[in-house]
Amino acid sequence: MPPSGHPTVPDHRSISLPESTPRTAAPSPGPAPRSARRAGLIVTLVLGGLNALPPLSMDMYLPALPEVTGALSSSAATVQLTLTACLAGMALGQLVVGPMSDKWGRRRPLLVGMVIYVVATAICAFAPNVELLIAFRLLQGLAGAAGIVISRAVVRDLYDGAEMARFFSTLMLISGVAPVAGPLLGGQILRITDWRGVFVVLTVVGVLLTLVVWRYLHETLPPEQRHRGGVGQALHTMRGLLADRVFTGYMLAGSFAFAALFAYVSGSAFVVQEIYGASPQTFSLLFGINSIGLVGIGQLNGKVLAGRVSLDAALAVGLAAITLSAVALCLMATGVFGDVGLVPIAAGLFVLMSAMGLVMPNTNTQALMRTKHAAGSASALLGTSSFLVGAIASPLVGIAGEHTAVPMTVVQLVCALVAVVCFVALCRPWQQRTTT
């Protein structure tokens, strides 16, 4: 690691093993040092794109939710299941792809997943009813999970400590373009076509990203470091990870914070447009501003705080901000302050979403720091937990119908409080720890 603490980025176009590592014949006596392997600019962009594709798949679709409700003659709660199905697919897919990547390497499972994603997204564009749309959104999520879990495992292959936190923050800068551009692009697509056009655009994006992955993303897990066991070995590894109280604490804290975020993602389209009368374009603009806040705080975390402030301290501040903003939103939604209008609600949502920039990179880093030899399985558990909790939270947001924001804010508050409890009770940040 360089003395400055910032990763050295050599001028090459793909990730590969260091020249000192044999590429054939007998394996090297030990793993190559991470300092000898770094992500070039193009591969950094590829990893960011892989992280961005799943939120792009959801966020570009958000302005169309009210239109889908009418076009497919369905209820708001049922249409929100198209988001839940995508999230559930991402959760279950990570649980499968993570151990696969520990056994067969990162590249092959990723390419297979990307091809399936493209096919499923194309079929969504022609779904004649909401049931078929839900089914193929599930498949879309299952396949899209490969990009999430493997990109996170690749980062663990290459980085450690504060460098890993910085790189996760860099990925947040790149992947954060998706929440900003997604609703804005979705709103503009709806000006010239209907909701099906959103899936056509996603199909094209998926094809392009698959080609870039095939061309530029080389293998980062050497054969000698791969696991040789089957399903039993993978389950044994995951049991061991879950038995680690601290790993489980970071996993759950990050998962419930993500659920608070996804309560916003799944409910805000109806809250902003149906309750406060905003247009799809206004909703897209507000969503983009909130995403800029998330990206900006993420960069503050990576460029300023990492290496200067403990990751736990930054994480604690993020969780506190999420909880306080959830309390304020809940009070406003229940009418404690009277009819507050859109601006105060938008301000509370901005604080909640921005604070995720302190929570997400630091929970991932702290958890993965404890899993040196099972990055794929650990990444799978982190992603699966996040998306499963988010999938459970999603339908609860619409349980009282389209004309009240109370369910969304209550779900956010409960999830924020559970995240704080998990962090304090299981991670116990005041204790000194060693990685495992």
Side-chain angles (χ1 to χ4, degrees):
M1 182 184 300
S4 65
H6 292 278
T8 303
V9 182
D11 185 17
H12 56 75
R13 295 168 66 86
S14 62
I15 300 177
S16 60
L17 299 181
E19 292 300 321
S20 60
T21 303
R23 299 178 182 270
T24 58
S28 63
R34 283 191 176 86
S35 60
R37 294 176 284 167
R38 287 292 183 263
L41 175 60
I42 290 183
V43 171
T44 301
L45 294 174
V46 171
L47 295 177
L50 291 172
N51 272 282
L53 187 60
L56 187 66
S57 300
M58 292 185 290
D59 297 343
M60 191 185 295
Y61 174 64
L62 290 178
L65 283 176
E67 180 182 326
V68 175
T69 301
L72 298 182
S73 301
S74 186
S75 67
T78 301
V79 170
Q80 282 176 328
L81 288 177
T82 62
L83 294 175
T84 302
C86 190
L87 269 181
M90 290 177 188
L92 298 175
Q94 290 184 72
L95 204 58
V96 174
V97 175
M100 287 173 58
S101 74
D102 282 339
K103 182 176 182 180
W104 291 314
R106 314 300 187 201
R107 181 176 163 85
R108 283 186 291 173
L110 176 58
L111 286 172
V112 171
M114 290 300 299
V115 170
I116 297 174
Y117 171 88
V118 169
V119 174
T121 305
I123 294 175
C124 285
F126 300 98
N129 53 60
V130 71
E131 291 79 14
L132 194 63
L133 182 60
I134 291 172
F136 279 96
R137 286 285 278 175
L138 176 65
L139 181 60
Q140 184 190 44
L142 286 167
I148 303 172
V149 67
I150 291 178
S151 62
R152 195 159 45 216
V154 167
V155 174
R156 186 63 182 101
D157 290 340
L158 301 177
Y159 293 97
D160 210 342
E163 281 191 313
M164 183 163 41
R166 292 190 185 98
F167 197 82
F168 273 128
S169 294
T170 299
L171 289 187
M172 183 174 291
L173 173 62
I174 301 169
S175 61
V177 173
V180 175
L184 292 173
L185 182 57
Q188 296 308 310
I189 291 172
L190 293 178
R191 285 180 174 271
I192 59 176
T193 184
D194 61 7
W195 63 271
R196 298 180 188 276
V198 174
F199 287 105
V200 172
V201 173
L202 287 172
T203 301
V204 174
V205 172
V207 170
L208 294 176
L209 186 55
T210 302
L211 293 175
V212 173
V213 167
W214 176 78
R215 173 64 178 85
Y216 292 108
L217 188 63
H218 292 188
E219 185 57 65
T220 61
L221 186 66
E224 64 271 18
Q225 296 181 14
R226 299 176 190 175
H227 294 178
R228 301 302 179 188
V231 175
Q233 177 63 35
L235 293 175
H236 176 75
T237 300
M238 290 185 176
R239 282 198 301 269
L241 292 171
L242 292 175
D244 180 353
R245 169 180 53 80
V246 179
F247 172 86
T248 300
Y250 287 118
M251 179 187 74
L252 292 176
S255 297
F256 280 95
F258 178 84
L261 171 63
F262 197 74
Y264 160 73
V265 170
S266 61
S268 59
F270 292 100
V271 169
V272 173
Q273 294 181 71
E274 300 296 330
I275 299 177
Y276 293 98
S279 67
Q281 289 70 37
T282 299
F283 163 74
S284 299
L285 177 62
L286 291 175
F287 198 95
I289 291 172
N290 291 345
S291 300
I292 291 173
L294 185 151
V295 171
I297 296 300
Q299 292 312 292
L300 175 69
N301 178 74
K303 305 300 184 184
V304 178
L305 300 181
R308 296 179 175 88
V309 177
S310 75
L311 300 182
D312 280 334
L315 174 56
V317 171
L319 289 174
I322 291 170
T323 304
L324 292 175
S325 61
V327 170
L329 286 166
C330 192
L331 292 175
M332 287 187 285
T334 53
V336 171
F337 302 120
D339 186 5
V340 296
L342 178 59
V343 173
I345 291 288
L349 292 172
F350 175 81
V351 174
L352 185 144
M353 193 164 179
S354 298
M356 296 293 172
L358 293 175
V359 174
M360 292 191 292
N362 290 325
T363 51
N364 284 336
T365 299
Q366 291 287 64
L368 289 172
M369 280 286 290
R370 304 183 64 81
T371 59
K372 292 182 179 180
H373 305 297
S377 296
S379 179
L381 287 174
L382 290 172
T384 297
S385 176
S386 293
F387 283 102
L388 277 179
V389 176
I392 294 171
S394 174
L396 298 178
V397 170
I399 198 169
E402 306 172 21
H403 305 294
T404 175
V406 173
M408 181 187 77
T409 60
V410 169
V411 170
Q412 289 172 331
L413 179 56
V414 171
C415 289
L417 291 173
V418 173
V420 170
V421 170
C422 290
F423 176 59
V424 173
L426 297 178
C427 301
R428 300 174 188 173
W430 58 87
Q431 296 180 346
Q432 291 187 344
R433 299 186 297 266
T434 58
T435 59
T436 59

